[in-house]
Amino acid sequence: HEMRERYTYATEAWANNRKRFKEDIEFLAGEQWPEDIRTERDEKGQPCLVVDKLNQYVRQVVNDSRQNRPSIKVRPVDSGADIETADILQGLCRHIEDRSDASAAYDTAVDSAVRGGFGFIRILTEYAHEKTFEQEICIERIRNPLSVVIDPDFRKADASDIKYAFIID
């Protein structure tokens, strides 16, 4: 019951953003004329010209992100921390990113965010082998950001304080 209430609440709260995401994607794909005007022009035999002026800017932002990929950085920050431990943790994070092909996840999320306004990655654990309970952390890309519905009551800019999320597959 709680899950259904949360899903309904989150879906309703994000409905306008999701609608605009779809409109932005369609606009970038060349659907720039309203349906009624396009139909009217088709009936009169008039063309609906579309001049792509946006995709060059989308590519510029996405390619800048690919050249300066985000990655996890571990820094010792308090009196109990030391550089050696931070280096070990940094190596573990780099291993997780390499093993997960995190660069593809980052690229997909940035591309979705630039094109439609939001993008997601997923951090989860998976079993290392079929016959063990050992788990490994992995970073996974979410190809369709419209398949994700998150808690709309977050406060932090990166939404790291969300309490729940749904991924519809």
Side-chain angles (χ1 to χ4, degrees):
H1 179 72
E2 181 182 7
M3 178 191 72
R4 286 187 177 127
E5 283 181 348
R6 285 181 170 183
Y7 179 76
T8 302
Y9 173 64
T11 303
E12 289 171 359
W14 284 98
N16 191 38
N17 284 348
R18 296 166 69 81
K19 179 178 159 254
R20 288 180 179 220
F21 183 97
K22 291 175 188 176
E23 290 171 355
D24 290 347
I25 296 297
E26 289 172 0
F27 191 87
L28 282 167
E31 298 294 323
Q32 299 178 2
W33 288 80
E35 187 65 36
D36 56 336
I37 294 174
R38 188 174 43 216
T39 304
E40 181 184 320
R41 292 179 68 85
D42 282 346
E43 290 172 357
K44 293 179 181 177
Q46 297 173 330
C48 296
L49 297 178
V50 174
V51 179
D52 182 13
K53 292 197 172 252
L54 291 177
N55 275 309
Q56 64 181 335
Y57 300 111
V58 168
R59 282 192 303 274
Q60 181 179 3
V61 173
V62 170
N63 288 337
D64 284 349
S65 172
R66 285 184 177 154
Q67 288 179 345
N68 302 306
R69 279 215 168 86
S71 64
I72 300 168
K73 182 71 175 167
V74 179
R75 293 186 178 99
V77 293
D78 64 10
S79 61
D82 62 74
I83 295 173
E84 191 173 306
T85 303
D87 287 342
I88 291 169
L89 291 173
Q90 181 68 46
L92 289 171
C93 290
R94 216 175 11 256
H95 170 71
I96 291 166
E97 287 180 319
D98 290 343
R99 184 182 133 337
S100 304
D101 191 23
S103 60
Y106 300 150
D107 290 346
T108 303
V110 167
D111 187 69
S112 295
V114 171
R115 290 179 185 279
F118 53 89
F120 300 99
I121 62 170
R122 184 178 185 185
I123 301 172
L124 59 135
T125 59
E126 57 185 27
Y127 290 105
H129 307 286
E130 288 182 18
K131 298 181 181 183
T132 184
F133 288 110
E134 291 181 27
Q135 295 185 17
E136 294 181 349
I137 299 171
C138 64
I139 299 169
E140 192 175 88
R141 77 182 184 149
I142 297 180
R143 294 176 60 147
N144 179 8
L146 293 173
S147 68
V148 179
V149 179
I150 65 171
D151 174 12
D153 295 328
F154 65 88
R155 297 284 178 246
K156 294 185 178 179
D158 63 354
S160 62
D161 61 337
I162 63 171
K163 293 178 180 68
Y164 58 89
F166 300 93
I167 300 177
I168 295 94
D169 218 3

